[in-house]
């Protein structure tokens, strides 16, 4: 059995962490410790656990801090304890300035908070010198519109050129007070044929009037999402910069999430890249896998659970790895990404039709805490393998369809694989067939040729001249119909879209193998 140790620091007062209570005399610092294992019942009443599984390792208090170090087994076989896994854990803390008395705990008032953690995510030791050079890629006074979702794109030129270096760490530079405004930051490699004129301005991404130069930026070289901290590359891997094959121009995409439509916001967030001339053994790459972001991905309302799958199939991996890297690539970290309806994400790995150990997973997905998971052991991906990004959603609080899209009120199902050595593959994602989705709700015919998006339905009469989005919303969904629809979607043929670093793209249409259906 394993145990974990958690160090809690609180600037003042007495913490009540998880269901562990500590009390002491803060006026004299003559510590008298009462450390017990508690749990809350269905009425949120605090009760002493008959099975005491938490063990105090260390306690200290001064005029500013109360510090506790304690341990417990990952699996206690106690129904009142939550099993500790590699998934996200939500730590809830509260404290009161008076000790707990015979009448029970004192109400904490506003002295409370939460923090999401991944307790078993292996820590990477900081081996970086404080004197290492760095450069910042930050927006300059971007006016954030008073609308729900904005994707802002800004082109930058990598300042390190003509000699190879390795980026060893990337840190988010989020403007103070904008921690909930900046939802994610993606860094794309762009064409090396651009010139410095593209650096003069930023523009809203995915906009009809955005600069043509943005269209050359398809290869993700780094990803950060809300709640994440800085990412340190392993000692044998780095992000290569400075050579002709490396990014010279990069596009930074910042997703601003402004559901309250706040006016007058000005943002200067971005990324800091720390680099070194001391080269690592391997160059890192990123593969974006999962579901292609589109309306073909949709989730009915009122569903306590709905499962979507994005496929990176052997046809795509064989094409990309076969010629370049038949011995395979080595994945060392994974970022799992969904939006507000997301409840769990799993990165499944198949070889020769047999499922391997999960590549990465989070069964307690927290939208506000998304960061790379370091793998305890690097995983080799071979040309004949299949990868499935499996996302679980809940839409019980929604009365209309949830659509794949850019807004946090839309949904995504993506995983970003950090791996080495770098190959010419940047994206491996799928979309399900749309016509059978329409047939499920009774659509007979659409207008052809398709001249609008979303396309318009011709028959039957109740859907005539509606877009397929309107038709899906008009359909009378129930949980049983939603389950039947989920079963259908997971068995639909998929179109797998594979993209290379040079923007070359190819597609593969195929039926989904039985192995990928909902468990």
């Amino acid at each position: 059995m394993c145990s974990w140790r958690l160090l809690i620091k609180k600037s003042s007062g007495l913490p009540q962490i998880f269901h562990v209570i500590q009390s002491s005399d803060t006026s004299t610092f003559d510590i008298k410790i009462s450390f017990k294992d508690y749990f809350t019942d269905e009425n949120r009443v605090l009760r002493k656990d008959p099975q005491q599984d938490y063990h105090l390792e260390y306690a200290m208090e001064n005029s500013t801090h109360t510090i506790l170090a304690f341990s417990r087994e990952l699996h206690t076989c106690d129904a009142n304890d939550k099993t500790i896994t590699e998934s996200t854990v939500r730590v809830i803390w509260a404290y009161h300035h008076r000790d707990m008395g015979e009448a029970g705990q004192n109400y904490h008032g506003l002295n409370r908070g939460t923090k999401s953690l991944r307790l078993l995510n292996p820590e990477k030791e900081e081996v970086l010198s404080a004197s290492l050079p760095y450069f910042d890629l930050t927006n300059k006074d971007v006016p954030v519109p008073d609308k729900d979702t904005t994707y802002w794109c800004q082109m930058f030129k990598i300042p390190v050129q003509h000699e190879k270096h390795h980026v060893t760490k990337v840190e988010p530079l989020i403007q103070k007070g904008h921690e909930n405004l900046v939802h994610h930051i993606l860094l794309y490699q762009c064409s090396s044929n651009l010139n410095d004129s593209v650096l003069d301005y930023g523009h809203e991404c995915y906009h009809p009037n955005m600069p043509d130069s943005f269209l050359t930026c398809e290869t993700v070289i780094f990803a950060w999402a809300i709640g994440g901290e800085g990412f340190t590359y392993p000692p044998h891997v780095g992000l290569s910069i400075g050579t002709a094959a490396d990014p010279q121009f990069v596009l930074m995409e910042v997703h601003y999430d402004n559901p309250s439509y706040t006016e007058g916001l000005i943002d200067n967030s971005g990324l800091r890249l720390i680099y070194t001339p001391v080269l690592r053994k391997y160059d890192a790459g990123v593969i974006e896998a999962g579901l292609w972001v589109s309306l073909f991905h949709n989730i009915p309302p009122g569903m306590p659970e709905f499962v979507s799958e994005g496929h990176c199939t052997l046809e795509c991996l064989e094409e990309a790895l076969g010629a370049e890297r038949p011995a395979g690539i080595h994945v060392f970290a994974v970022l799992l990404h969904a939006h507000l309806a997301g409840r769990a994400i799993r990165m499944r790995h198949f070889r020769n039709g047999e499922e391997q150990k999960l590549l990465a997973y989070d069964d307690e997905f927290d939208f506000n805490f998304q960061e790379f998971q370091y793998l305890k052991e690097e995983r080799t991906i071979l040309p004949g393998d299949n990868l499935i990004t499996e996302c679980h959603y809940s839409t019980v609080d929604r009365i209309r369809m949830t659509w794949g899209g850019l807004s946090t009120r839309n949904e995504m199902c993506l995983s970003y694989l950090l791996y080495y050595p770098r190959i010419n593959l940047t994206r491996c994602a799928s979309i399900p067939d749309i016509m059978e989705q329409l047939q499920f709700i009774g659509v007979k015919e659409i207008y052809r040729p398709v001249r609008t998006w979303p396309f318009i339905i011709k028959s039957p009469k109740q859907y005539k001249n509606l877009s397929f989005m309107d038709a899906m919303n008009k359909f009378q969904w129930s949980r049983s119909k939603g389950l039947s629809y989920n079963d259908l979607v997971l068995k639909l043929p998929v179109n797998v879209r594979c993209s290379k670093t040079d923007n070359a793209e190819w597609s593969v249409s195929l039926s989904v193998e039985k192995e990928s259906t909902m468990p």
Side-chain angles (χ1 to χ4, degrees):
M1 302 289 284
C2 302
S3 65
W4 55 269
R5 178 175 293 181
L6 179 64
L7 181 65
I8 305 296
K9 290 187 177 181
K10 182 63 189 174
S11 58
S12 64
L14 307 173
Q16 298 178 8
I17 311 298
F18 286 109
H19 33 270
V20 180
I21 295 178
Q22 179 267 353
S23 64
S24 61
D25 184 344
T26 58
S27 61
T28 65
F29 306 108
D30 180 16
I31 298 178
K32 180 181 178 182
I33 299 171
S34 174
F35 183 93
K36 296 182 177 65
D37 181 353
Y38 279 69
F39 69 95
T40 54
D41 61 18
E42 64 274 11
N43 298 315
R44 300 186 180 182
V45 176
L46 195 64
R47 301 189 182 280
K48 185 178 178 181
D49 196 332
Q51 181 175 318
Q52 294 288 300
D53 295 303
Y54 287 77
H55 307 287
L56 183 67
E57 305 275 343
Y58 170 76
M60 188 275 284
E61 187 172 76
N62 59 25
S63 60
T64 61
H65 289 75
T66 297
I67 299 176
L68 297 172
F70 54 90
S71 63
R72 57 150 266 200
E73 308 234 350
L74 299 180
H75 310 283
T76 64
C77 301
D78 183 351
N80 297 319
D81 290 340
K82 185 175 180 64
T83 298
I84 305 299
T85 70
E86 294 179 19
S87 296
T88 297
V89 173
R90 292 165 176 80
V91 177
I92 304 172
W93 56 265
Y95 68 91
H96 196 277
H97 67 276
R98 291 198 305 270
D99 289 347
M100 182 170 165
E102 293 294 330
Q105 79 275 13
N106 301 298
Y107 181 65
H108 47 70
L110 298 177
N111 299 321
R112 62 177 299 180
T114 65
K115 184 173 179 61
S116 288
L117 299 168
R118 198 166 285 117
L119 294 174
L120 301 188
N121 197 17
E123 294 185 4
K124 294 299 177 184
E125 294 184 4
E126 287 284 346
V127 294
L128 305 178
S129 168
S131 61
L132 283 179
Y134 65 86
F135 58 89
D136 294 342
L137 308 177
T138 55
N139 283 325
K140 298 294 187 289
D141 296 330
V142 171
V144 181
D146 55 340
K147 62 179 183 178
D148 175 81
T149 298
T150 301
Y151 280 66
W152 185 263
C153 284
Q154 174 69 54
M155 196 81 75
F156 296 90
K157 190 173 185 178
I158 299 293
V160 182
Q161 299 181 57
H162 310 305
E163 185 177 348
K164 181 166 181 167
H165 293 73
H166 270 135
V167 173
T168 55
K169 185 175 183 179
V170 183
E171 297 177 338
L173 299 175
I174 308 302
Q175 182 174 321
K176 188 175 181 179
H178 288 187
E179 291 80 8
N180 291 322
L181 175 68
V182 181
H183 172 263
H184 77 238
I185 302 176
L186 291 178
L187 201 60
Y188 294 88
Q189 179 173 343
C190 305
S191 170
S192 58
N193 297 323
L194 302 176
N195 58 54
D196 290 359
S197 65
V198 301
L199 308 175
D200 295 339
Y201 53 88
H203 200 282
E204 192 168 342
C205 316
Y206 312 110
H207 190 279
N209 296 329
M210 73 179 186
D212 291 340
S213 58
F214 289 10
L215 300 174
T216 72
C217 311
E218 290 284 342
T219 300
V220 176
I221 59 174
F222 189 75
W224 172 89
I226 187 168
E229 298 180 355
F231 181 83
T232 301
Y233 288 85
H236 55 299
V237 187
L239 173 62
S240 181
I241 56 174
T243 76
D246 296 331
Q248 298 177 40
F249 292 91
V250 294
L251 184 75
M252 186 174 73
E253 171 191 298
V254 180
H255 174 188
Y256 294 113
D257 183 36
N258 186 15
S260 61
Y261 296 82
T262 303
E263 299 180 357
L265 295 172
I266 304 294
D267 184 66
N268 293 277
S269 300
L271 298 171
R272 171 167 292 173
L273 283 71
I274 301 167
Y275 63 96
T276 177
V278 181
L279 300 181
R280 271 85 187 282
K281 186 174 181 180
Y282 298 107
D283 295 340
V286 180
I287 296 175
E288 180 186 290
L291 268 164
W292 202 275
V293 180
S294 78
L295 299 177
F296 288 55
H297 175 210
N298 47 73
I299 306 165
M303 297 299 297
E305 168 134 346
F306 191 91
V307 180
S308 299
E309 293 178 346
H311 297 261
C312 178
T313 64
L314 61 89
E315 290 82 3
C316 184
L317 292 173
E318 281 180 342
E319 170 74 20
L321 275 71
E324 281 191 79
R325 191 69 185 176
I329 56 175
H330 305 282
V331 178
F332 58 88
V334 178
L335 172 66
L336 303 172
H337 182 64
H339 286 173
L340 289 170
R343 295 296 180 269
I345 310 178
R346 296 183 170 196
M347 186 61 174
R348 301 169 68 188
H349 179 199
F350 295 85
R351 179 169 295 159
N352 299 323
E354 294 188 4
E355 184 160 11
Q356 311 296 298
K357 180 182 176 182
L358 287 171
L359 193 64
Y361 72 94
D362 190 348
D363 289 337
E364 303 287 345
F365 177 76
D366 181 351
F367 169 79
N368 290 307
F369 178 64
Q370 304 188 43
E371 65 176 4
F372 274 104
Q373 299 181 29
Y374 296 100
L375 303 191
K376 291 181 178 178
E377 296 180 356
E378 294 177 352
R379 184 72 66 85
T380 301
I381 306 298
L382 298 175
D385 291 357
N386 288 356
L387 301 174
I388 298 176
T389 305
E390 177 187 281
C391 296
H392 296 243
Y393 303 99
S394 172
T395 59
V396 290
D397 58 346
R398 303 187 180 192
I399 60 173
R400 297 173 68 82
M401 293 289 292
T402 297
W403 299 93
L406 301 177
S407 167
T408 54
R409 264 52 63 186
N410 298 139
E411 266 309 327
M412 293 186 180
C413 182
L414 296 171
S415 51
Y416 293 89
L417 282 63
L418 279 178
Y419 72 93
Y420 69 87
R422 181 178 61 185
I423 60 171
N424 189 14
L425 177 66
T426 181
R427 186 178 288 113
C428 181
S430 71
I431 51 175
D433 180 78
I434 191 65
M435 293 313 300
E436 290 193 45
Q437 296 180 42
L438 290 170
Q439 290 170 8
F440 181 87
I441 65 169
V443 171
K444 303 295 184 183
E445 188 179 8
I446 65 172
Y447 284 103
R448 297 181 185 276
V450 174
R451 292 190 173 90
T452 62
W453 180 254
F455 49 77
I456 303 301
I457 295 169
K458 188 174 183 179
S459 67
K461 185 176 181 180
Q462 70 263 34
Y463 297 137
K464 185 175 178 62
N465 294 328
L466 293 181
S467 71
F468 84 92
M469 293 180 69
D470 291 335
M472 293 288 266
N473 278 319
K474 185 176 181 180
F475 184 70
Q476 296 298 308
W477 291 99
S478 64
R479 289 189 180 181
S480 61
K481 291 177 182 177
L483 288 172
S484 297
Y485 182 67
N486 200 175
D487 188 54
L488 167 73
V489 168
L490 292 173
K491 296 175 182 176
L492 288 179
V494 297
N495 185 271
V496 182
R497 303 173 70 174
C498 314
S499 302
K500 292 186 175 181
T501 306
D502 56 9
N503 294 338
E505 182 178 310
W506 72 100
S507 298
V508 181
S509 296
L510 69 161
S511 297
V512 177
E513 298 294 333
K514 185 177 180 181
E515 67 196 16
S516 67
T517 56
M518 184 168 54

